Amino acid sequence: MLKPLGDRVIVTVDKEEEKTVGGIVLANNAKEKPQTAEVVAVGDGLVADNGTKLPMSIKKGDKILFDKYAGSTVKYEDNEYLILHEKDVMAIVD
Amino acid sequence: MLKPLGDRVIVTVDKEEEKTVGGIVLANNAKEKPQTAEVVAVGDGLVADNGTKLPMSIKKGDKILFDKYAGSTVKYEDNEYLILHEKDVMAIVD
Amino acid sequence: MLKPLGDRVIVTVDKEEEKTVGGIVLANNAKEKPQTAEVVAVGDGLVADNGTKLPMSIKKGDKILFDKYAGSTVKYEDNEYLILHEKDVMAIVD
Amino acid sequence: MLKPLGDRVIVTVDKEEEKTVGGIVLANNAKEKPQTAEVVAVGDGLVADNGTKLPMSIKKGDKILFDKYAGSTVKYEDNEYLILHEKDVMAIVD
Amino acid sequence: MLKPLGDRVIVTVDKEEEKTVGGIVLANNAKEKPQTAEVVAVGDGLVADNGTKLPMSIKKGDKILFDKYAGSTVKYEDNEYLILHEKDVMAIVD
Amino acid sequence: MLKPLGDRVIVTVDKEEEKTVGGIVLANNAKEKPQTAEVVAVGDGLVADNGTKLPMSIKKGDKILFDKYAGSTVKYEDNEYLILHEKDVMAIVD
Amino acid sequence: MLKPLGDRVIVTVDKEEEKTVGGIVLANNAKEKPQTAEVVAVGDGLVADNGTKLPMSIKKGDKILFDKYAGSTVKYEDNEYLILHEKDVMAIVD
């Protein structure tokens, strides 16, 4: 299991649904790569200079919209994850 | 539904009115692309280092003027939205 | 009406007086473009990290001298305005 | 013995397992160089401006996932170590 | 009258004395352009994040030595002024 | 005697042991230049914004491991020293 | 007299002693230009955001070792001075 540190969240990026026309798989436009993901683990939050722990606004299981140029991809036990800082999560999808 | 995080607001950018001359659609000057939008969702505000939540000055339904080089465009359920940080909203249009 | 956010002010830039010699309009030197403007609207001021609202030193009606490379030009209801951060206002003209 | 200062941790990077096909060692893809390591020493934590010592979230013996472009490699008594700042440790592997 | 904002000071730069040899005006070395000026107006000082107004160390009438690459030149009522931030004033000349 | 200011330490860098093969001195690989040094003088520590003096974690006589691209070399009374900020000292060698 | 502002110090840089061989003046290596100076005037210290004045660790008459790429050279009443920020003074020479 991976436990993110600080204000990091670990997510699994949603797979693009293949668009098919009469059974033919169509390549997607690179500009429309998915930006939604599911949160699988959440850090404890940043510790501010005065020792206050700043709480996270995201929890495990949340579906999120993230900034597509953010995060680091890691491979762990054959799964691919994206590790993001909370500030790069733009919105929660309800 | 999209719930923005931190000091973000989600807006729908106002459409340019087409200028027509005798029914002919005229291309607009790129420099005059619309900079007004309507706010559809507002984050809870940034949390300062001492734990204070800084309130937002913008609310759902506000019409805003935004910095034209700011924000990220996202597509969600076939609608296009712009996600901005509050600091990139220049003014509220009353 | 435009209501600026944070420490922004909205101003109308003073027009250059045309210099004429015997009725001929003379082009001005680009280096001397006007740097004075009249304030038409003022934001509520920045909110500091501890929640304190920092008051503005500029008020509606002030004539100001501004940094000529600062600000964003916006068009609203056929008027052109410049939106500046207070830190880019160098002096008040009494 | 090496005692890291501030928020640094000293780790030994996990060796890549060689992939062999019928006994032939295969070169790994540079993009998949190992990003896991074992923590051999931990600093006392940063001291904040108000004199508060910020505690470390990592302890000796932890297995960690680190940002692959971070850290300084040092050689000490014929062993190779990587010295990282805590902020470059992305997650603890349980 | 110009009233500088924040930690700004408005100064009039000292004129270079022309060096003459037998009545011939000699061009000065660009590297030796004057760096002294007289303060004609002083701002109220910066307001710190906690609302404290930081007092200015410079007052009207002071003769100052300034960093030669700092400041903005402005023209106002046919006089030329230099507007500097207090941090760009290196010393007071007694 | 040199007394470092702030969070600086003055060190003497350990000499590389020459590697010889049958009496021939071998040039070392530039990448392996020594990164250990002995501390000969220590500053009083930085003064934080609230006036707190932040204590140093390094003392005279410590053997340290330092970041090889950090510091300024100075010559004083025919000895060569390296002056480092404490943040560029990575570890103490026990 | 020059009175430095903030955390500045005004120094006179030590002259390089000319090296002569049999009366011939030898050019010094540019890399070894002197880095020691004598302090002739000291500012009152920086004022922190909370209004605290941070005291200076350097006093008039101190001999200092300074960072050779720091400071501004000024000419005043035919003498040449170097004006440095305290942070660019590396050590006091006792």
Side-chain angles (χ1 to χ4, degrees), chain B residues 46-61:
Chain B
L46 284 180
V47 176
D49 263 19
N50 58 5
T52 316
K53 185 158 289 191
L54 304 174
M56 301 286 285
S57 334
I58 304 168
K59 58 182 193 304
K60 192 179 155 177

Side-chain angles (χ1 to χ4, degrees), chain A residues 10-47:
Chain A
I10 303 185
V11 303
T12 50
V13 177
D14 293 351
K15 291 222 162 46
E16 286 180 277
E17 297 160 35
E18 284 180 355
K19 294 179 186 161
T20 58
V21 172
I24 313 287
V25 177
L26 300 178
N28 276 316
N29 183 333
K31 284 200 171 160
E32 292 188 18
K33 71 173 185 169
Q35 282 182 265
T36 53
E38 195 181 319
V39 177
V40 298
V42 174
D44 285 340
L46 285 180
V47 176

Side-chain angles (χ1 to χ4, degrees), chain F residues 67-87:
Chain F
D67 180 337
K68 70 186 150 213
Y69 303 110
S72 306
T73 305
V74 297
K75 227 176 184 163
Y76 179 68
E77 291 177 351
D78 288 319
N79 295 313
E80 202 169 275
Y81 298 102
L82 187 72
I83 302 190
L84 294 160
H85 286 281
E86 193 187 28
K87 71 172 173 51

